[in-house]
Amino acid sequence: MYSRISKYIFKYKGRVLVALFSLFAGTFLNGMSLSLMVPLVDKVLVQGSKNAEIVIFDVKQEKSESLLKEIETSVKIKANDFVKNKTPLDILKIFSIFLFFLIFIKGFCSFGREYLMESVSYKIIKDIRDDMYAHLHFLSMDFFTKKHVGEIMSRITNDTGYVQNAVCRGWTEMLFDISNIVIYTAIAFYINFKLAIFAIVIMPCLVYPII
């Protein structure tokens, strides 16, 4: 079915690409807001309660690092320098404001994705119904003798609604779920590699006998 309606989707490829960008951006920001909870709790709240100097990220510089690793190390060092000599309350305020903007942008991306995909689905349904209506004019009278009027109307109205759900909800929700799995799995491995292995491999084996 998707191969047959792909020609209709291609007509609105600009809106679809922007919707996909909003989808992946919202998923990335959702994972970022979640990953910020770890340094907020472990470094700011715990170290702040001990009156120790707050270090957000533990940085270990190596001689030979890849470009991505160098960028990550540079960002961590700048974050540590930024919170240096600041009180835990000041850092908590900064984190709160930053998380607020992250959630706001994430909500904007979610709204954009829903709006664009809804508009694309309605435009596709209109095109399909126009093509079906034009096709009916070229059918023989024998076709209309054998088919009931209600059945034809159902094909035009109800069945195209299923196509709308498939376009708007089906593959977009599938991509959204897959991107969530990838982002959250990457965050879990980044936080604690051994615990992530335990959660992904061993935990399902322990839950299976219960099910």
Coordinates of all heavy atoms in Angstrom, one line a residue, residues 102-175:
L102 N 14.6 23.7 26.6 CA 14.6 22.4 25.9 C 13.2 21.8 25.7 O 12.9 21.4 24.6 CB 15.5 21.4 26.6 CG 17.0 21.5 26.4 CD1 17.7 20.4 27.2 CD2 17.4 21.4 24.9
I103 N 12.5 21.9 26.8 CA 11.1 21.3 26.7 C 10.2 22.2 25.8 O 9.4 21.6 25.0 CB 10.5 21.3 28.1 CG1 11.3 20.3 29.0 CG2 9.0 20.9 28.1 CD1 10.9 20.3 30.5
F104 N 10.4 23.5 25.8 CA 9.7 24.4 24.9 C 10.0 24.1 23.4 O 9.1 23.9 22.6 CB 10.0 25.8 25.2 CG 9.3 26.8 24.3 CD1 8.0 27.1 24.5 CD2 10.0 27.4 23.2 CE1 7.3 28.0 23.6 CE2 9.4 28.3 22.4 CZ 8.1 28.6 22.6
I105 N 11.3 23.9 23.1 CA 11.6 23.6 21.7 C 11.2 22.3 21.3 O 10.7 22.0 20.2 CB 13.2 23.8 21.6 CG1 13.6 25.2 21.8 CG2 13.6 23.4 20.2 CD1 15.1 25.4 21.9
K106 N 11.3 21.3 22.3 CA 10.8 20.0 22.0 C 9.3 20.0 21.7 O 8.8 19.3 20.8 CB 11.1 19.0 23.2 CG 10.6 17.6 23.0 CD 11.0 16.8 24.2 CE 10.1 17.2 25.4 NZ 10.4 16.3 26.6
G107 N 8.5 20.7 22.5 CA 7.1 20.8 22.2 C 6.8 21.5 20.9 O 5.8 21.1 20.2
F108 N 7.6 22.5 20.5 CA 7.4 23.2 19.2 C 7.7 22.2 18.1 O 7.0 22.2 17.1 CB 8.4 24.4 19.1 CG 8.2 25.1 17.8 CD1 7.2 26.0 17.7 CD2 9.2 25.0 16.8 CE1 7.1 26.7 16.5 CE2 9.1 25.7 15.6 CZ 8.0 26.5 15.5
C109 N 8.7 21.4 18.2 CA 9.0 20.3 17.2 C 7.9 19.3 17.1 O 7.5 18.9 16.0 CB 10.3 19.6 17.5 SG 11.8 20.7 17.4
S110 N 7.4 18.9 18.3 CA 6.2 18.0 18.2 C 5.0 18.6 17.6 O 4.3 17.9 16.8 CB 5.9 17.6 19.7 OG 4.8 16.7 19.7
F111 N 4.7 19.8 17.9 CA 3.6 20.5 17.2 C 3.8 20.6 15.7 O 2.9 20.3 14.9 CB 3.4 21.9 17.8 CG 2.4 22.7 17.0 CD1 1.1 22.6 17.2 CD2 2.9 23.7 16.2 CE1 0.2 23.3 16.4 CE2 2.0 24.5 15.5 CZ 0.6 24.3 15.6
G112 N 5.0 21.0 15.3 CA 5.3 21.1 13.9 C 5.2 19.7 13.2 O 4.7 19.7 12.0
R113 N 5.6 18.7 13.8 CA 5.5 17.3 13.2 C 4.1 16.9 13.0 O 3.7 16.5 11.9 CB 6.2 16.3 14.1 CG 6.0 14.9 13.7 CD 6.8 13.9 14.6 NE 6.5 14.0 15.9 CZ 5.5 13.3 16.5 NH1 4.9 12.4 15.8 NH2 5.3 13.4 17.8
E114 N 3.3 17.1 14.1 CA 1.9 16.8 14.0 C 1.1 17.6 13.0 O 0.3 17.1 12.2 CB 1.2 16.9 15.4 CG 1.7 16.0 16.4 CD 1.2 14.6 16.2 OE1 0.2 14.4 15.5 OE2 1.8 13.6 16.7
Y115 N 1.4 18.9 12.9 CA 0.7 19.8 12.0 C 1.0 19.5 10.6 O 0.1 19.4 9.7 CB 1.1 21.3 12.3 CG 0.5 22.3 11.3 CD1 -0.8 22.7 11.4 CD2 1.3 22.8 10.3 CE1 -1.3 23.6 10.5 CE2 0.8 23.7 9.4 CZ -0.5 24.1 9.5 OH -1.0 25.0 8.6
L116 N 2.3 19.3 10.3 CA 2.7 19.0 8.9 C 2.2 17.7 8.4 O 1.8 17.6 7.3 CB 4.3 19.1 8.8 CG 4.9 20.5 9.0 CD1 6.4 20.4 9.1 CD2 4.5 21.4 7.8
M117 N 2.3 16.7 9.3 CA 1.8 15.3 8.8 C 0.3 15.3 8.6 O -0.2 14.6 7.8 CB 2.3 14.3 9.8 CG 3.8 14.0 9.8 SD 4.5 13.8 8.1 CE 3.6 12.4 7.5
E118 N -0.4 16.0 9.5 CA -1.8 16.1 9.3 C -2.2 16.8 8.0 O -3.1 16.4 7.3 CB -2.5 16.9 10.5 CG -2.6 16.1 11.8 CD -3.6 15.0 11.8 OE1 -4.5 15.0 10.9 OE2 -3.6 14.1 12.7
S119 N -1.5 17.9 7.7 CA -1.8 18.6 6.5 C -1.4 17.8 5.3 O -2.2 17.8 4.3 CB -1.0 19.9 6.5 OG 0.4 19.7 6.4
V120 N -0.3 17.1 5.3 CA 0.1 16.2 4.2 C -1.0 15.1 4.0 O -1.4 14.8 2.9 CB 1.5 15.6 4.4 CG1 1.8 14.5 3.4 CG2 2.5 16.7 4.3
S121 N -1.4 14.5 5.1 CA -2.4 13.4 5.0 C -3.7 13.9 4.4 O -4.3 13.2 3.6 CB -2.6 12.8 6.4 OG -3.3 13.7 7.3
Y122 N -4.2 15.1 4.8 CA -5.4 15.6 4.2 C -5.2 15.9 2.7 O -6.2 15.7 1.9 CB -5.9 16.8 5.0 CG -6.6 16.5 6.3 CD1 -6.0 16.8 7.5 CD2 -7.9 15.9 6.2 CE1 -6.7 16.5 8.7 CE2 -8.5 15.6 7.4 CZ -8.0 15.9 8.6 OH -8.6 15.6 9.8
K123 N -4.1 16.4 2.4 CA -3.8 16.7 1.0 C -3.8 15.5 0.1 O -4.3 15.4 -1.0 CB -2.5 17.5 0.8 CG -2.6 19.0 1.3 CD -1.3 19.7 1.2 CE -1.4 21.1 1.7 NZ -2.3 21.9 1.0
I124 N -3.2 14.4 0.7 CA -3.1 13.1 0.0 C -4.5 12.5 -0.2 O -4.8 12.0 -1.3 CB -2.2 12.2 0.7 CG1 -0.7 12.7 0.6 CG2 -2.3 10.8 0.2 CD1 0.3 11.9 1.4
I125 N -5.3 12.6 0.9 CA -6.6 12.1 0.8 C -7.5 12.8 -0.3 O -8.2 12.2 -1.0 CB -7.3 12.2 2.2 CG1 -6.7 11.2 3.2 CG2 -8.8 11.8 2.1 CD1 -6.6 9.8 2.7
K126 N -7.3 14.1 -0.3 CA -8.0 14.9 -1.4 C -7.6 14.5 -2.8 O -8.4 14.3 -3.7 CB -7.7 16.4 -1.2 CG -8.3 17.3 -2.2 CD -8.0 18.7 -2.0 CE -8.6 19.6 -3.1 NZ -8.1 19.2 -4.5
D127 N -6.2 14.3 -3.0 CA -5.8 13.8 -4.3 C -6.3 12.4 -4.6 O -6.7 12.2 -5.8 CB -4.2 13.8 -4.3 CG -3.7 15.2 -4.2 OD1 -4.4 16.2 -4.5 OD2 -2.5 15.3 -3.8
I128 N -6.3 11.5 -3.6 CA -6.8 10.2 -3.9 C -8.3 10.2 -4.3 O -8.7 9.5 -5.2 CB -6.5 9.3 -2.7 CG1 -5.0 9.0 -2.5 CG2 -7.2 7.9 -2.9 CD1 -4.7 8.2 -1.3
R129 N -9.1 11.0 -3.5 CA -10.5 11.0 -3.8 C -10.8 11.7 -5.2 O -11.7 11.3 -5.9 CB -11.2 11.8 -2.7 CG -11.3 11.0 -1.4 CD -11.9 11.8 -0.3 NE -12.1 11.0 0.9 CZ -12.4 11.4 2.1 NH1 -12.5 12.8 2.3 NH2 -12.6 10.6 3.1
D130 N -10.0 12.7 -5.5 CA -10.1 13.3 -6.8 C -9.8 12.3 -7.9 O -10.5 12.3 -9.0 CB -9.2 14.5 -7.0 CG -9.6 15.7 -6.1 OD1 -10.8 15.7 -5.7 OD2 -8.8 16.6 -5.9
D131 N -8.8 11.5 -7.8 CA -8.4 10.5 -8.8 C -9.5 9.4 -8.9 O -9.8 9.0 -10.0 CB -7.1 9.9 -8.5 CG -5.9 10.9 -8.6 OD1 -6.1 11.9 -9.3 OD2 -4.8 10.6 -8.1
M132 N -10.0 9.0 -7.7 CA -11.1 8.0 -7.7 C -12.3 8.5 -8.4 O -13.0 7.8 -9.2 CB -11.4 7.6 -6.3 CG -10.3 6.8 -5.6 SD -10.7 6.3 -3.9 CE -12.0 5.2 -4.2
Y133 N -12.7 9.8 -8.1 CA -13.9 10.4 -8.7 C -13.7 10.5 -10.2 O -14.6 10.2 -11.0 CB -14.1 11.7 -8.1 CG -15.4 12.4 -8.6 CD1 -16.6 11.9 -8.1 CD2 -15.4 13.5 -9.4 CE1 -17.8 12.5 -8.6 CE2 -16.5 14.1 -9.9 CZ -17.7 13.6 -9.4 OH -18.9 14.2 -9.9
A134 N -12.5 10.9 -10.6 CA -12.2 11.0 -12.1 C -12.2 9.6 -12.7 O -12.7 9.4 -13.9 CB -10.9 11.7 -12.3
H135 N -11.8 8.6 -12.0 CA -11.7 7.2 -12.6 C -13.2 6.7 -12.7 O -13.4 5.9 -13.7 CB -10.9 6.3 -11.7 CG -10.8 4.9 -12.1 ND1 -10.1 4.5 -13.2 CD2 -11.4 3.8 -11.6 CE1 -10.3 3.2 -13.4 NE2 -11.0 2.7 -12.4
L136 N -14.1 7.1 -11.8 CA -15.4 6.6 -11.9 C -16.1 7.0 -13.2 O -17.0 6.3 -13.7 CB -16.3 7.1 -10.7 CG -15.9 6.4 -9.4 CD1 -16.7 7.1 -8.3 CD2 -16.3 4.9 -9.4
H137 N -15.7 8.1 -13.8 CA -16.3 8.6 -15.0 C -16.0 7.8 -16.2 O -16.7 7.9 -17.2 CB -15.9 10.1 -15.3 CG -16.6 11.1 -14.4 ND1 -16.2 11.2 -13.0 CD2 -17.6 11.9 -14.6 CE1 -16.9 12.2 -12.5 NE2 -17.8 12.6 -13.4
F138 N -14.9 7.0 -16.1 CA -14.5 6.2 -17.3 C -14.9 4.7 -17.1 O -14.6 3.9 -18.0 CB -13.0 6.2 -17.4 CG -12.5 7.6 -17.8 CD1 -12.1 8.5 -16.8 CD2 -12.5 8.0 -19.1 CE1 -11.6 9.7 -17.1 CE2 -12.0 9.3 -19.4 CZ -11.6 10.2 -18.5
L139 N -15.7 4.4 -16.1 CA -16.1 3.0 -15.9 C -17.4 2.8 -16.7 O -18.2 3.7 -16.9 CB -16.4 2.7 -14.4 CG -15.1 2.8 -13.5 CD1 -15.5 2.6 -12.0 CD2 -14.1 1.8 -13.9
S140 N -17.6 1.5 -17.0 CA -18.8 1.2 -17.8 C -20.1 1.2 -17.0 O -20.0 1.1 -15.7 CB -18.6 -0.2 -18.5 OG -18.5 -1.2 -17.4
M141 N -21.2 1.2 -17.6 CA -22.5 1.2 -16.9 C -22.7 -0.1 -16.3 O -23.4 -0.2 -15.2 CB -23.6 1.5 -17.9 CG -23.6 2.9 -18.5 SD -23.8 4.2 -17.2 CE -25.4 3.8 -16.6
D142 N -22.1 -1.2 -16.8 CA -22.2 -2.5 -16.2 C -21.6 -2.5 -14.8 O -22.1 -3.2 -13.9 CB -21.5 -3.5 -17.1 CG -21.7 -5.0 -16.6 OD1 -22.9 -5.4 -16.4 OD2 -20.7 -5.6 -16.3
F143 N -20.5 -1.8 -14.6 CA -19.9 -1.7 -13.3 C -20.9 -1.1 -12.3 O -21.0 -1.6 -11.1 CB -18.7 -0.8 -13.3 CG -18.0 -0.5 -12.0 CD1 -17.2 -1.4 -11.4 CD2 -18.3 0.7 -11.4 CE1 -16.7 -1.1 -10.1 CE2 -17.8 1.0 -10.1 CZ -16.9 0.1 -9.5
F144 N -21.6 0.0 -12.6 CA -22.5 0.6 -11.7 C -23.8 -0.3 -11.5 O -24.5 -0.1 -10.5 CB -22.9 2.0 -12.2 CG -21.8 3.0 -12.2 CD1 -21.1 3.2 -13.4 CD2 -21.4 3.6 -11.1 CE1 -20.0 4.1 -13.4 CE2 -20.3 4.5 -11.1 CZ -19.6 4.7 -12.3
T145 N -24.1 -1.2 -12.4 CA -25.2 -2.1 -12.3 C -24.9 -3.1 -11.2 O -25.7 -3.5 -10.4 CB -25.5 -2.7 -13.6 OG1 -25.8 -1.7 -14.6 CG2 -26.8 -3.6 -13.5
K146 N -23.6 -3.6 -11.2 CA -23.2 -4.7 -10.3 C -22.9 -4.2 -8.9 O -23.0 -4.9 -7.9 CB -22.0 -5.5 -10.9 CG -22.4 -6.2 -12.2 CD -21.1 -6.9 -12.7 CE -21.4 -7.7 -14.0 NZ -20.2 -8.4 -14.5
K147 N -22.4 -2.9 -8.8 CA -22.0 -2.4 -7.6 C -23.1 -1.5 -7.0 O -23.8 -0.8 -7.7 CB -20.7 -1.5 -7.7 CG -19.5 -2.3 -8.2 CD -19.0 -3.2 -7.0 CE -17.7 -4.0 -7.4 NZ -17.2 -4.8 -6.4
H148 N -23.2 -1.6 -5.6 CA -24.2 -0.8 -5.0 C -23.6 0.7 -4.8 O -22.4 0.8 -4.6 CB -24.6 -1.3 -3.6 CG -25.2 -2.7 -3.7 ND1 -26.5 -2.9 -4.2 CD2 -24.8 -3.9 -3.4 CE1 -26.8 -4.1 -4.1 NE2 -25.8 -4.8 -3.7
V149 N -24.5 1.6 -4.7 CA -24.1 3.0 -4.5 C -23.4 3.2 -3.2 O -22.4 3.9 -3.1 CB -25.3 4.0 -4.7 CG1 -24.8 5.4 -4.4 CG2 -25.9 3.9 -6.1
G150 N -23.9 2.5 -2.2 CA -23.4 2.6 -0.8 C -22.0 2.1 -0.8 O -21.1 2.6 0.0
E151 N -21.7 1.0 -1.5 CA -20.4 0.4 -1.5 C -19.4 1.4 -2.2 O -18.2 1.5 -1.7 CB -20.4 -0.9 -2.3 CG -19.1 -1.7 -2.3 CD -19.1 -3.0 -3.0 OE1 -20.3 -3.4 -3.4 OE2 -18.1 -3.6 -3.2
I152 N -19.8 2.0 -3.3 CA -18.9 2.9 -3.9 C -18.6 4.1 -3.0 O -17.4 4.6 -2.9 CB -19.5 3.4 -5.3 CG1 -19.7 2.2 -6.2 CG2 -18.6 4.5 -5.9 CD1 -20.4 2.5 -7.5
M153 N -19.6 4.6 -2.4 CA -19.4 5.8 -1.5 C -18.5 5.4 -0.3 O -17.7 6.2 0.2 CB -20.8 6.3 -1.0 CG -21.7 6.9 -2.0 SD -21.0 8.4 -2.8 CE -20.9 9.4 -1.3
S154 N -18.7 4.2 0.2 CA -17.8 3.7 1.3 C -16.3 3.7 0.9 O -15.5 4.0 1.6 CB -18.3 2.3 1.8 OG -17.4 1.8 2.8
R155 N -16.1 3.2 -0.4 CA -14.7 3.2 -0.9 C -14.1 4.6 -0.9 O -13.0 4.7 -0.6 CB -14.7 2.6 -2.3 CG -15.2 1.1 -2.4 CD -14.1 0.2 -1.8 NE -14.5 -1.2 -2.0 CZ -13.8 -2.2 -1.5 NH1 -12.7 -2.0 -0.8 NH2 -14.2 -3.4 -1.7
I156 N -14.9 5.6 -1.3 CA -14.4 6.9 -1.5 C -14.2 7.6 -0.1 O -13.2 8.3 0.1 CB -15.3 7.7 -2.4 CG1 -15.4 7.1 -3.8 CG2 -14.9 9.2 -2.5 CD1 -16.3 7.8 -4.7
T157 N -15.1 7.4 0.8 CA -15.1 8.1 2.1 C -14.3 7.3 3.2 O -13.4 7.8 3.7 CB -16.5 8.4 2.5 OG1 -17.3 7.2 2.6 CG2 -17.2 9.3 1.6
N158 N -14.8 6.1 3.5 CA -14.2 5.4 4.6 C -12.9 4.8 4.3 O -11.9 4.9 5.2 CB -15.2 4.3 5.1 CG -16.5 4.8 5.6 OD1 -16.6 6.0 6.1 ND2 -17.6 4.0 5.5
D159 N -12.7 4.2 3.2 CA -11.4 3.5 2.9 C -10.3 4.5 2.8 O -9.1 4.1 3.1 CB -11.6 2.6 1.6 CG -12.5 1.4 1.8 OD1 -13.0 1.3 3.0 OD2 -12.7 0.6 0.9
T160 N -10.6 5.6 2.2 CA -9.5 6.6 2.2 C -9.1 7.2 3.5 O -8.0 7.6 3.7 CB -9.9 7.8 1.3 OG1 -11.2 8.3 1.7 CG2 -10.0 7.4 -0.2
G161 N -10.0 7.1 4.5 CA -9.7 7.4 5.9 C -8.6 6.5 6.5 O -7.8 7.0 7.3
Y162 N -8.7 5.2 6.1 CA -7.6 4.3 6.6 C -6.3 4.7 6.0 O -5.3 4.5 6.7 CB -8.0 2.9 6.2 CG -9.3 2.4 6.8 CD1 -10.3 1.7 6.0 CD2 -9.5 2.5 8.1 CE1 -11.4 1.3 6.6 CE2 -10.7 2.1 8.7 CZ -11.7 1.4 7.9 OH -12.8 1.0 8.5
V163 N -6.3 5.1 4.7 CA -5.0 5.6 4.1 C -4.5 6.8 4.9 O -3.3 6.9 5.1 CB -5.3 5.9 2.6 CG1 -4.0 6.5 2.0 CG2 -5.7 4.7 1.9
Q164 N -5.4 7.7 5.3 CA -5.0 8.9 6.1 C -4.3 8.4 7.4 O -3.3 9.0 7.8 CB -6.2 9.8 6.4 CG -5.8 11.0 7.1 CD -7.0 11.8 7.5 OE1 -8.1 11.4 7.2 NE2 -6.8 13.0 8.0
N165 N -4.9 7.5 8.1 CA -4.3 7.0 9.3 C -2.9 6.4 9.1 O -2.0 6.5 9.9 CB -5.2 6.0 10.0 CG -6.5 6.7 10.6 OD1 -6.4 7.8 10.9 ND2 -7.6 5.9 10.6
A166 N -2.8 5.6 8.0 CA -1.6 5.0 7.7 C -0.5 6.0 7.4 O 0.7 5.8 7.8 CB -1.7 4.0 6.5
V167 N -0.8 7.1 6.7 CA 0.1 8.1 6.3 C 0.5 8.9 7.5 O 1.7 9.2 7.8 CB -0.4 9.0 5.2 CG1 0.5 10.2 5.0 CG2 -0.6 8.2 3.9
C168 N -0.5 9.4 8.3 CA -0.2 10.3 9.4 C 0.3 9.6 10.7 O 1.1 10.1 11.4 CB -1.5 11.1 9.7 SG -1.3 12.3 11.0
R169 N -0.3 8.4 10.9 CA 0.0 7.7 12.2 C 1.0 6.5 12.1 O 1.8 6.3 12.9 CB -1.3 7.2 12.9 CG -2.3 8.4 13.1 CD -1.8 9.3 14.2 NE -2.7 10.4 14.4 CZ -2.5 11.4 15.2 NH1 -1.3 11.5 15.8 NH2 -3.3 12.4 15.4
G170 N 0.8 5.8 11.0 CA 1.5 4.5 10.8 C 3.0 4.7 10.8 O 3.7 4.4 11.8
W171 N 3.6 5.1 9.7 CA 5.1 5.1 9.6 C 5.7 6.2 10.4 O 6.9 6.0 10.8 CB 5.4 5.2 8.1 CG 5.1 6.5 7.4 CD1 3.9 6.8 6.9 CD2 6.0 7.6 7.2 NE1 3.9 8.1 6.4 CE2 5.2 8.6 6.5 CE3 7.3 7.8 7.4 CZ2 5.7 9.8 6.1 CZ3 7.9 9.0 7.0 CH2 7.1 10.0 6.4
T172 N 5.0 7.3 10.6 CA 5.6 8.4 11.5 C 5.8 7.9 12.9 O 6.8 8.2 13.5 CB 4.8 9.7 11.4 OG1 3.4 9.4 11.8 CG2 4.8 10.3 10.0
E173 N 4.8 7.2 13.4 CA 4.9 6.7 14.8 C 5.9 5.6 14.9 O 6.6 5.5 15.9 CB 3.5 6.1 15.2 CG 2.4 7.2 15.4 CD 2.8 8.2 16.5 OE1 3.5 7.8 17.5 OE2 2.4 9.3 16.4
M174 N 6.1 4.8 13.8 CA 7.1 3.8 13.8 C 8.5 4.4 13.8 O 9.4 4.0 14.6 CB 6.9 2.9 12.5 CG 8.0 1.8 12.4 SD 7.8 0.9 10.8 CE 8.3 2.2 9.7
L175 N 8.7 5.5 13.0 CA 10.0 6.2 13.0 C 10.2 6.8 14.4 O 11.4 6.8 14.9 CB 10.0 7.2 11.9 CG 10.2 6.7 10.5 CD1 10.1 7.8 9.5 CD2 11.5 5.9 10.3

